[in-house]
């Protein structure tokens, strides 16, 4: 065993050797070098000596005489002539690598460079090789940059390489950094510098082992001569921005290679000194604003910089799982090596003046050599059911009206006014699954099943609830105008999509049904979904009672609430499971995104669906949702059994909840869901008058309903996950097996929403028959 002092000394020596990166050169014709090398040989135990100077000289002679066939014997004789009176051990230079305890005998610099670059001819002309020897290139970030730097060193397509990285080698880096396990814990800058020195001890390398920061960034770019090209391979987005701002100031071009699909980004600030950073894709983002963001919070900026559409499906899958099942974005060694070679090639051509433009390029090997030469994902689109036409509605109305006495006529203007108000009722995904017909003195409400046919809506009962809410709004608006309406819901078993028929009565009579609270009419145009998150506020018992009374005013309707911290945490996880299943499943995913409107122009053009701004998402959540459109990535996520990261949005939403409510009806039937829709509208209007924010989260309940009735259309995995989650849900909300769960929703206190959903114009949803009103 070594003593403590001796071990400490050994550790200090090891530390010194671990930080060494410059090889020592000895030329034996110089007396001082001869003495120093002799001392080294005496003092370094286990020194490994490699002397292949004769082989190098033979190689040099043969490359200088390419047209001759020189035998080995003749080559050795020419070496003796070439050396003349110089002893072989004094020729050239002895290079000592202290970190490896190796001593190597090499040709001296001029002959070494000549021979080492001989195979570059005529890929590079001698004149081009000489020009490149004067170029300076900086590399920031050595997880990927190591390959770029060592490739440039291999070609000797640069005269000086500056390396910057603050990080040390971890075991998890060894899937993409070519190094050895004995280097674990060693600075990546040192490792790369040593690799280059072992390739070419004469190549100039300058190290910045603490990375680049505000105090040394300008020095990195300018000290010792301005860089000719800056290569950005760092992970830090704020540093990426600072690199570009400073490089643009000093007219230094920047190249970035992402190692995902080998996206290569070139910004020629030398030729375009006013060019927008990242081609203008990120706008005017201040680096300080994003310096301390988490990996998840950086995703929106990564998507802006790289472009969501350019990412590989596997990278999208990985981004969804960041900080859930993986820590950060992944990289593969093959991609890093491939991209490093591509980057080195482009830098060389930039330095030779052959590539003189900016741009973004994808050199995706999988696209060049695809898995499937036929292309296409082979996935079918969503089924669509026919929509109601004016003629179809008139025929259905005629069949129902046949033999019935004429009704009191409605003024068409009044019908338009009331239908426009009714159309402001809530509907899942803002699909607005209604069509109206004014004919023969009756107003007919039809279920536009094409708008609510979805795997997430069992038997389109969610659409039926929306019709009930619209009917409630119609009657309330009519009462506010002093009118009496009769309502018959689902009047004909032969016309299941004829949801209701309304007649305008001349005055109070046996068919009239007074509204529960006529004063709520003033809230009809103001009620809206509010998804904005806020701090959790306690659930006021008076609010609880008021909402329960509002829903309970419809016979059979019942409202249940959970509001304790543990209960809310449990329901957050359950809602998150529903979100995960909906996004992961291919058809559910398509149906969900069919409802989303991504731009103001798209929202205005359709005036239905969910405008993305109304979801009140953080930048990170918005980026995550956008990536969830990539069906190719989600297919991999399904195969991996992943997707837990998709539950985070529900957790954030429930964190704002004063309570989560469940509205139920006695039976799973169209009639009960219709009346349940009336109850939910009453409850929601009362909530609005109390200043409460309502956010429907019903997908989970409707998926439970489908799973409980055979699970048609759902995957086996989804059915199993729902079956496992169901007992947890019923412990929170003790509902019977026959009960209908009409609406699951969050109650909170929040600021007004950023954006309310639009509604289709009345002329699109109301047809006034020429047969009279």
């Amino acid at each position: 065993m070594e003593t403590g002092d001796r071990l400490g000394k050994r550790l200090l020596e090891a530390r010194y050797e671990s930080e060494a990166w410059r090889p020592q050169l000895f030329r034996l014709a110089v007396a001082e070098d001869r003495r120093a090398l002799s001392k080294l040989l005496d003092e370094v135990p286990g020194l490994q000596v490699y002397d292949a100077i004769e082989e190098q000289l033979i190689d040099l002679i043969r490359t200088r005489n390419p047209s001759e066939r020189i035998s080995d014997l003749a080559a050795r004789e020419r070496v003796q002539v070439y050396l003349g009176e110089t002893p072989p051990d004094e020729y050239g230079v002895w290079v000592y690598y202290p970190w490896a305890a190796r001593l190597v005998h090499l040709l001296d610099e001029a002959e070494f460079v000549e021979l080492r670059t001989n195979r570059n001819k005529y890929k590079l002309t001698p004149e081009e090789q000489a020009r490149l020897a004067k170029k300076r290139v900086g590399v920031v970030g050595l997880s990927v940059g190591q390959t770029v730097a060592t490739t440039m060193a291999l070609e000797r397509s640069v005269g000086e390489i500056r390396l910057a990285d603050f990080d040390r080698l971890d075991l998890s880096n060894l899937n993409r950094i070519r190094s050895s396990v004995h280097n674990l814990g060693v600075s990546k800058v040192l490792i790369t510098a040593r690799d280059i020195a072992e390739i070419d001890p004469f190549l100039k390398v300058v190290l910045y082992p603490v990375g680049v920061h505000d105090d040394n960034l300008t020095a990195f770019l300018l000290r010792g001569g301005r860089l000719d090209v800056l290569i950005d391979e760092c992970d830090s987005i704020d540093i990426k921005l600072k690199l570009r701002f400073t490089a643009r100031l000093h007219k230094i071009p920047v190249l970035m290679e992402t190692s995902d699909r080998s996206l290569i980004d070139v910004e020629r600030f030398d030729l375009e000194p006013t060019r927008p950073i990242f081609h203008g894709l990120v706008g005017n983002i201040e680096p300080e604003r994003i310096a301390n963001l988490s990996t998840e919070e950086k995703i929106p900026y990564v998507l802006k910089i790289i472009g969501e559409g350019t990412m590989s499906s596997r990278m999208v899958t990985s981004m969804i799982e960041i900080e859930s099942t993986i820590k950060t974005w992944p990289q593969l060694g093959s991609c890093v090596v491939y991209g490093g070679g591509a980057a080195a090639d482009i830098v060389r051509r930039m330095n030779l003046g052959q590539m003189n433009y900016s741009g973004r390029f994808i050199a995706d090997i999988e696209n060049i050599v695809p898995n499937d030469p036929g292309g296409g994902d082979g996935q079918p689109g969503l089924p669509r059911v026919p929509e109601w036409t004016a003629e179809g509605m008139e025929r259905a109305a005629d069949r129902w009206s046949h033999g019935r006495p004429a009704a009191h006529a409605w003024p068409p203007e009044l019908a338009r006014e009331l239908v426009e108000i009714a159309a402001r009722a809530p509907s899942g995904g803002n699909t607005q699954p209604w069509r109206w017909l004014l004919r023969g003195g009756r107003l007919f409400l039809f279920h536009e099943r094409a708008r609510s046919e979805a795997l997430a809506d069992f038997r389109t009962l969610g659409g039926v609830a929306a019709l009930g809410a619209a009917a409630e709004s119609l009657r309330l608006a009519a009462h506010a105008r002093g009118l009496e309406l009769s309502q018959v819901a689902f009047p004909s078993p032969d016309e299941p999509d004829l949801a209701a028929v309304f007649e305008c009565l001349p005055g109070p009579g046996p068919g009239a049904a007074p509204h529960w609270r006529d004063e709520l009419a003033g809230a009809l145009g103001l009620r809206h979904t509010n998804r904005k998150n806020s701090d959790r506020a306690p659930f006021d018992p008076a609010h609880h009672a008021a909402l329960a009374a509002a829903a309970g005013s419809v016979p059979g309707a019942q409202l249940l609430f959970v509001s304790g911290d543990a209960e809310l945490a449990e329901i957050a996880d359950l809602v998150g499971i529903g979100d995960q299943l909906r996004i992961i499943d291919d058809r559910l995913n398509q149906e969900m995104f069919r409802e989303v409107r991504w731009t103001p122009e798209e929202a205005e053009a359709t005036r239905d669906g969910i405008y993305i701004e109304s979801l009140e998402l953080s930048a990170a959540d918005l980026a995550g949702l956008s990536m969830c459109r990539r069906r190719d990535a989600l297919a991999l996520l399904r195969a991996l059994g992943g997707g837990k990261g998709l539950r985070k949005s529900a957790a954030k939403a429930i964190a704002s909840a004063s309570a989560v409510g469940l509205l139920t009806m006695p039976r799973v039937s169209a009639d009960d869901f219709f009346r349940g829709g009336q109850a939910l509208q009453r409850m929601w209007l009362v909530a609005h008058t109390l200043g409460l924010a309502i956010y429907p989260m019903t997908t989970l309940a409707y998926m439970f309903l489908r799973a409980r009735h055979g699970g048609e259309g759902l995957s086996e995995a989804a059915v199993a996950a729902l079956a496992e989650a169901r007992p947890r849900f019923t412990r929170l909300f003790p509902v019977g097996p026959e009960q209908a769960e009409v609406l699951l929703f969050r109650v909170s206190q929040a600021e007004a929403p950023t954006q309310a959903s639009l509604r289709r114009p009345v002329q699109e949803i109301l047809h006034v028959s020429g047969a009279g009103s």
Side-chain angles (χ1 to χ4, degrees), residues 635-654:
L636 176 61
L637 204 60
R638 285 195 300 274
L640 294 173
K644 286 188 177 179
L646 302 173
R647 304 180 187 181
K648 295 178 183 178
S649 183
K652 293 177 183 177
I654 302 298

Side-chain angles (χ1 to χ4, degrees), residues 661-692:
L662 178 67
L663 173 65
T664 69
M665 292 295 290
R667 291 172 301 279
V668 178
S669 67
D671 183 67
D672 273 34
F673 268 83
F674 187 87
R675 289 187 297 111
Q678 293 180 294
L680 78 84
Q681 182 69 333
R682 292 185 186 185
M683 180 275 297
W684 206 326
L685 293 172
V686 170
H688 176 80
T689 65
L690 296 173
L692 299 175

Side-chain angles (χ1 to χ4, degrees), residues 2 30 139 170 195 212 315 351 366 381 448 451 472 485 503 508 538 598 697:
E2 292 183 293
V30 178
V139 183
D170 294 326
D195 285 346
V212 292
M315 179 59 81
N351 277 332
E366 193 170 330
E448 183 78 283
R451 289 183 163 268
E472 183 70 11
L485 294 185
E503 293 188 16
W598 294 92
M697 298 176 150

Side-chain angles (χ1 to χ4, degrees), residues 62-138:
R62 282 174 169 161
T63 57
R64 285 179 173 178
N65 299 276
S67 61
E68 294 185 49
R69 293 187 176 182
I70 304 173
S71 67
D72 292 345
L73 178 61
R76 284 192 291 272
E77 290 173 351
R78 290 202 189 188
V79 166
Q80 295 302 318
V81 173
Y82 188 82
L83 288 172
E85 298 299 319
T86 304
D89 63 344
E90 293 185 9
Y91 193 84
V93 60
W94 289 86
V95 181
Y96 173 56
Y97 296 100
W99 56 88
R102 287 196 293 265
L103 182 66
V104 185
H105 194 184
L106 297 175
L107 296 174
D108 213 338
E109 183 171 6
E111 292 177 338
F112 178 91
V113 173
E114 175 191 349
L115 182 57
R116 203 173 77 74
T117 61
N118 178 266
R119 298 292 179 92
N120 288 353
K121 296 179 182 179
Y122 289 105
K123 291 273 191 168
L124 292 173
T125 67
E127 185 272 334
E128 288 172 335
Q129 194 78 60
R131 286 171 59 193
L132 291 171
K134 299 176 182 178
K135 298 297 182 179
R136 306 179 188 93
V137 176

Side-chain angles (χ1 to χ4, degrees), residues 98 104 113 201 306 320 372 398 404 454 515 552 579 633 668 725 728 762 770:
V104 185
V113 173
I306 298 177
I320 292 171
D372 176 12
D398 283 343
R404 287 181 169 84
H515 192 270
D579 289 348
V668 178
R728 297 169 58 191
V762 68

Side-chain angles (χ1 to χ4, degrees), residues 437-508:
L437 170 70
L438 182 63
R439 180 180 176 84
R442 296 182 175 94
L443 184 62
F444 296 84
L445 171 58
F446 288 89
H447 186 184
E448 183 78 283
R449 192 177 292 271
R451 289 183 163 268
S452 60
E453 187 83 32
L455 197 57
D457 184 0
F458 180 64
R459 297 178 185 168
T460 67
L461 290 173
V464 173
L467 299 176
E472 183 70 11
S473 298
L474 183 86
R475 293 176 58 238
L476 182 54
H479 274 250
R481 288 156 179 76
L483 302 174
E484 293 288 354
L485 294 185
S486 69
Q487 170 188 299
V488 181
F490 297 102
S492 172
D494 296 328
E495 298 290 351
D497 289 338
L498 176 54
V501 180
F502 303 89
E503 293 188 16
C504 188
L505 303 177

Side-chain angles (χ1 to χ4, degrees), residues 529-566:
T529 295
N530 191 335
R531 302 177 180 88
K532 184 162 283 188
N533 292 333
S534 61
D535 292 333
R536 176 177 293 172
F539 193 34
D540 189 330
H543 292 166
H544 182 159
L547 298 184
S553 66
V554 173
Q558 183 182 11
L559 197 53
L560 306 172
F561 283 107
V562 295
S563 57
D565 290 347

